[in-house]
Each structure stands twice: as C-alpha cells, then as structure tokens.
Amino acid sequence: MGKEEGDMDMEIIRNILTQLKHMKFRGRIAPVFYNEPTLDSRLEKIISEMRGMLPRATIFLYTNGSLATADLFETLSAAGVDVFVVSQYEKNVPRDGARILSLMRELSPRTRKKVRYRVLHDVDILSNRGGLVTVTHHQKKKRCFRASTNCVIDFKGNVLLCCDDFTSHYILGNIHKESLEMIWNSKQAREIRKKLRKGIFENEMCRNCVGQ
C-alpha cells in the first residue's frame, strides 16, 4: 500500500496549535512525518506560529540536511526552533558530511548549540518501520511505550497510533471530528496503549516492529 502525500493545511496546523495552547502544552513538537520539512516554503511561518502559541514547548526540527544552509538555520532558529537534528546515513557522509560540518562552523554560537548531528550506520540497531523496510540489525522489544509518549497527526488531521504508521492505517480519530484531547483519552486509544505497554501486540504493524 502506498502513502498518500500532501501538505498539511495551515487551518489544520492552527487547529492543532490552538488545542495545544488550551492544554498549556509544554512538551516536544516537531513538524515532521516521513518528510523533509525544509522543502516546505511555509516552514518559517509554521515555526513562528508554533513559538507564538506554544511559548513553553520545545520545537524540534528533524532534517537530512540536504537543503541546509547557515542562513536557513539562523532564520529558523530566530523563528523559534530549539533543536535541529540532522541525520545522515553512513553511505551519504562522504558526500554530505563535510558540507554539514562546514555549515556548522558558519553558524552563530547560539544556533550552533542547537544542532545535533548524527550518523546512522548499518550496524546500528534501527527500526524497521513496522516491517516496511529491511535493516541489518532491527530493534526487538518486549513492550512498547512509543504510542504512550508520541501523538502523531498526518496531513489530513488523522491522529495515528504510531510514528511508524507510514500509510496512516491505524487511525484513532480525526481532529476535524473530535478534539485532540478526546481522541487521546478515548477508551479505544487508552486500551491500545495499555496493551502495548504490557507487551500485547495485536496488529501486524506492531508485531513486525517488535520482531514477533
């Protein structure tokens, strides 16, 4: 099954931010779900609105660094990004690694402190994304707490079970129909999270992810 693609409308983004503001949200928020956020021409505006509505939240920006420039990072830092996470796979480091390290030397000290650069190696223990990808050493779990700590929303406003749900198959609700708080606290969502924490994996995506 393929993934439906699209950009999240600003109306949906503002709906999410408004709800989080009313909750006095102080956690981590990141504009990413299997995408490269720096491709979005609205990114500075989105970050600015996040910061304005959620002054106590921690804004993460996950990027592969392919479009990164010192000017872009400085602009997004000023808009409100707290942490930049630049991830590259080992095979791409000879091509891109030197450029990223050079870019970091161009950044102001304040912005440079926000950048986390990581290289993912084939020997690392990685997620197989619910069985969608093949990795040399994939993580195995007896229990899963990810669904209890992450709230994932796709571009249509669907609240998903997990960030590994690439095709938006396991939908807990939609913020057009219910509030985010109602969806998160629904009996269905709470029961699923409880089972995952106990190591009861009832759907195929979860079983593939944990190595069952």
Side-chain angles (χ1 to χ4, degrees):
M1 182 184 296
K3 177 179 175 60
E4 189 174 357
E5 297 182 358
D7 295 327
M8 183 178 281
D9 290 339
M10 288 302 300
E11 177 186 354
I12 297 178
I13 293 172
R14 288 172 180 142
N15 183 353
I16 295 168
L17 295 178
T18 298
Q19 292 190 51
L20 292 176
K21 179 180 179 180
H22 289 160
M23 297 178 198
K24 298 181 180 179
F25 181 74
R26 297 187 296 174
R28 176 187 300 187
I29 186 169
V32 64
F33 181 55
Y34 293 102
N35 66 303
E36 173 49 51
T38 58
L39 286 169
D40 194 330
S41 61
R42 309 169 301 166
L43 185 57
E44 181 185 356
K45 180 178 181 62
I46 292 170
I47 296 296
S48 293
E49 295 201 17
M50 281 183 174
R51 177 49 67 221
M53 297 189 74
L54 305 173
R56 302 184 71 178
T58 303
I59 302 175
F60 274 66
L61 185 74
Y62 293 89
T63 175
N64 60 24
S66 59
L67 299 178
T69 66
D71 286 344
L72 177 63
F73 273 30
E74 293 290 0
T75 296
L76 296 177
S77 177
V81 171
D82 294 297
V83 181
F84 296 87
V85 181
V86 183
S87 304
Q88 293 186 324
Y89 286 93
E90 185 177 19
K91 64 182 180 180
N92 295 331
V93 170
R95 182 188 65 196
D96 297 328
R99 183 179 64 81
I100 295 298
L101 294 176
S102 175
L103 176 153
M104 290 177 64
R105 287 192 289 269
E106 297 177 34
L107 297 174
S108 65
R110 180 181 179 184
T111 300
R112 190 183 308 126
K113 289 179 180 178
K114 298 181 178 183
V115 179
R116 301 178 185 176
Y117 177 56
R118 62 183 183 179
V119 177
L120 304 177
H121 303 270
D122 287 340
V123 296
D124 292 339
I125 298 175
L126 303 172
S127 169
N128 67 7
R129 298 302 185 190
L132 286 178
V133 298
T134 301
V135 295
T136 304
H137 304 284
H138 104 262
Q139 61 185 358
K140 295 184 179 181
K141 301 178 180 178
K142 293 183 179 180
R143 301 177 183 84
C144 184
F145 297 88
R146 183 173 293 175
S148 297
T149 58
N150 294 342
C151 182
V152 182
I153 307 173
D154 72 10
F155 77 98
K156 288 186 171 183
N158 294 316
V159 179
L160 308 180
L161 172 61
C162 176
C163 59
D164 281 338
D165 189 1
F166 178 77
T167 59
S168 297
H169 183 71
Y170 298 97
I171 298 173
L172 300 175
N174 186 285
I175 62 170
H176 292 298
K177 300 177 182 179
E178 300 174 275
S179 71
L180 185 57
E181 190 169 11
M182 288 180 63
I183 295 169
W184 180 262
N185 290 319
S186 70
K187 182 178 179 180
Q188 175 199 20
R190 287 187 287 108
E191 185 63 25
I192 292 174
R193 294 196 298 266
K194 181 179 179 180
K195 288 181 178 180
L196 292 175
R197 292 193 300 269
K198 289 184 174 182
I200 302 172
F201 306 105
E202 295 183 335
N203 66 68
E204 183 180 6
M205 179 186 73
C206 293
R207 288 195 297 271
N208 287 335
C209 181
V210 301
Q212 289 190 358

